[in-house]
Amino acid sequence: MRASKVAHRPVGLALGAASGMIAGVAFKQAWKMIGHDDDAPDATDEDRTWQEVLLAAALQGAIFAVVKAAVDRAGATTVRRLSGTPAPTSPGKRLPPPSPEPVADRGC
């Protein structure tokens, strides 16, 4: 394992935890701003309507995705600036190689 990847791992974990907390605070503020109760509904809260539960879930997902992307991007930029090399990527984030073209059946 490369040294940059080993060094980047604890930083990535810390940034991930921080981004989760930031997103949680941002969601609570956004939920209050759109005029709903102080607490967002849980999916199993039967006192809330489907519309309210689904709106809360969509808003929460969007906020978490934006915060995660911003933190990941800032972390990668910082690693590149400090080390001069791109931040390591996990194998799951790489695109697979293109598959070969299928061979046409020639009906022998």
Side-chain angles (χ1 to χ4, degrees):
M1 191 178 288
R2 293 184 355 215
S4 63
K5 193 167 189 174
V6 171
H8 188 261
R9 184 162 293 174
V11 173
L13 290 172
L15 287 175
S19 68
M21 288 188 283
I22 291 167
V25 170
F27 170 67
K28 286 182 181 183
Q29 292 299 318
W31 190 250
K32 288 178 188 177
M33 284 178 57
I34 60 173
H36 290 277
D37 296 336
D38 286 345
D39 293 329
D42 291 325
T44 57
D45 191 352
E46 293 184 6
D47 296 331
R48 305 289 184 99
T49 64
W50 273 89
Q51 182 180 5
E52 194 174 19
V53 169
L54 295 179
L55 174 64
L59 180 63
Q60 186 177 29
I63 290 172
F64 271 78
V66 167
V67 170
K68 181 184 182 321
V71 168
D72 286 351
R73 181 66 180 222
T77 302
T78 302
V79 166
R80 183 178 39 79
R81 284 183 184 159
L82 293 176
S83 69
T85 60
T89 58
S90 64
K93 292 184 181 179
R94 294 188 185 133
L95 294 175
S99 59
E101 293 292 323
V103 178
D105 185 21
R106 298 198 174 138
C108 292

